[in-house]
């Protein structure tokens, strides 16, 4: 369990730095937007390129990938049904942020250490990482771009948006490098790695600024919306992943990996997307903040259950 706590503690410290910088007025809301733009247009594409070119493809093309996809689709579908009933006036972009907040897990800076220390192998989180980077993110970016331009989603426009979005380009470039087994020269690889190293700190510092300068998390009329999404993310998604994994024949460590990954909190990427497209920024911020804390006892409970029942 030390690995779980270390992963969460690392995030908390960097977020606290952002909070303190905003509290002492070293950085303000303008810096938050600038950091988010830096992460979206430069650092995140570089990080995705670096991660994807190192991802072992033979480890991700498995039933775990299918289980992760089905769990995401079911949870997002449930959110959209609830949103149509509870928040019928929400825009397309707002619903995309809500859906991502409910199903897009922190498979990177939290998933990797948890996979290493709790599951015993980083490869266990690779299916979800690949799914989010190469399938979910490009589709979401296309929907955001269409919403920002007031256009109805269409296949042609969506494909064009995917082909020009920096997040998608970084992930696809990394995958192509891995598939073609290309070795980038150090004069290119080193700057890309340095730029990618800014992605997570930039997102977390911007997040900390928003916690200090924005409204109190889950306050006012938005509280019901926030807690609904948190419940879907931290409680419903692991349960759905467990059912899907069992139905697909997963057992033991494979099933354990699927359920733990589904229980991870909402990724900071969602906040970056919300700021970039100016859709449900406070919702994304609050769900990430609350789900990060709530997921700790949930993951610990899942680990204890699997250890007692399956000996994992």
């Amino acid at each position: 369990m030390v690995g779980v706590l270390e992963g969460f503690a690392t995030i908390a410290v960097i977020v606290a730095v952002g909070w303190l910088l905003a509290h002492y007025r070293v950085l303000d809301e303008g810096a938050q937007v600038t950091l988010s733009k830096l992460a979206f247009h430069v650092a995140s594409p570089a990080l995705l390129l670096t991660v994807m070119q190192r991802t072992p493809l033979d480890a991700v093309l498995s039933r775990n990938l299918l289980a992760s996809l089905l769990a995401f689709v079911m949870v997002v579908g449930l959110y959209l049904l609830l949103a149509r009933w509870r928040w019928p006036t929400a825009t397309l972009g707002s619903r995309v942020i809500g859906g991502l907040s409910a199903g897009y897990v922190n498979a990177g800076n939290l998933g990797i250490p948890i996979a290493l220390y709790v599951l015993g192998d980083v490869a266990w989180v690779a299916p979800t990482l690949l799914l989010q980077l190469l399938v979910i993110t490009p589709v979401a970016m296309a929907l955001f771009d269409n919403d920002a331009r007031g256009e109805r989603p269409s296949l042609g426009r969506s494909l064009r948006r995917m082909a020009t979005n920096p997040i998608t380009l970084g992930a696809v470039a990394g995958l192509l490098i891995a598939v073609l087994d290309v070795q980038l020269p150090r004069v290119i690889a080193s700057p890309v790695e340095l730029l990618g190293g800014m992605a997570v700190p930039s997102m977390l510092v911007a997040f900390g600024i928003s916690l200090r300068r924005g409204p109190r998390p889950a306050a006012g009329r938005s509280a019901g919306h926030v807690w609904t999404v948190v419940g879907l993310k931290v409680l419903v998604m692991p349960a759905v992943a467990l059912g899907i994994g069992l139905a697909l024949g997963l057992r033991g460590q494979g099933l354990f990996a699927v359920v733990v990954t589904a229980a991870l909190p909402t990724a900071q990427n969602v906040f970056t997307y919300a700021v970039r497209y100016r859709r449900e920024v406070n919702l994304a911020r609050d769900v990430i903040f609350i789900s990060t804390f709530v997921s700790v006892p949930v993951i610990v409970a899942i680990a204890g259950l699997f250890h007692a029942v399956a000996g994992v």
Side-chain angles (χ1 to χ4, degrees), residues 216-276:
R216 183 168 57 88
R221 291 182 298 176
S222 66
H225 196 174
V226 171
W227 285 108
T228 297
V229 178
V230 170
L232 288 172
K233 175 73 236 28
V234 179
L235 300 177
V236 176
M237 192 169 182
V240 169
L242 175 63
I244 292 173
L246 289 171
L248 292 176
L250 292 174
R251 298 294 185 272
Q253 192 75 4
L255 181 62
F256 181 40
V258 167
V259 178
V260 167
T261 302
L264 290 169
T266 304
Q268 277 79 21
N269 306 54
V270 179
F271 176 74
T272 300
Y273 304 155
V275 173
R276 167 65 180 81

Side-chain angles (χ1 to χ4, degrees), residues 52 55 60-61 64-73 103-105 107 125-139 171 237 261:
M52 290 309 304
T55 302
V60 301
L61 300 177
N64 290 54
L65 178 65
L66 179 59
S68 296
L69 173 61
L70 293 176
F72 174 84
V73 170
Y104 198 107
V105 306
V125 80
T128 300
L129 195 63
L130 181 70
L131 171 68
Q132 293 188 161
L133 297 182
L134 295 183
V135 179
I136 296 172
T137 296
V139 172
M237 192 169 182
T261 302

Side-chain angles (χ1 to χ4, degrees), residues 183-193:
Q183 187 70 32
L184 291 178
R186 293 306 302 172
V187 69
I188 296 176
S190 295
V192 170
E193 290 179 6

Side-chain angles (χ1 to χ4, degrees), residues 48-68:
L48 298 185
L49 187 152
T50 302
V51 170
M52 290 309 304
Q53 70 175 337
R54 296 174 179 172
T55 302
L57 299 182
D58 58 340
V60 301
L61 300 177
S62 62
R63 284 180 293 177
N64 290 54
L65 178 65
L66 179 59
S68 296

Side-chain angles (χ1 to χ4, degrees), residues 40 68 86 116-117 123 153 171 195 201 206 234 240-241 246 260 276 283 297 309:
F40 183 87
S68 296
R86 294 286 305 277
L116 178 62
Y117 291 108
L195 289 170
V234 179
V240 169
L246 289 171
V260 167
R276 167 65 180 81
L283 174 66
V309 174

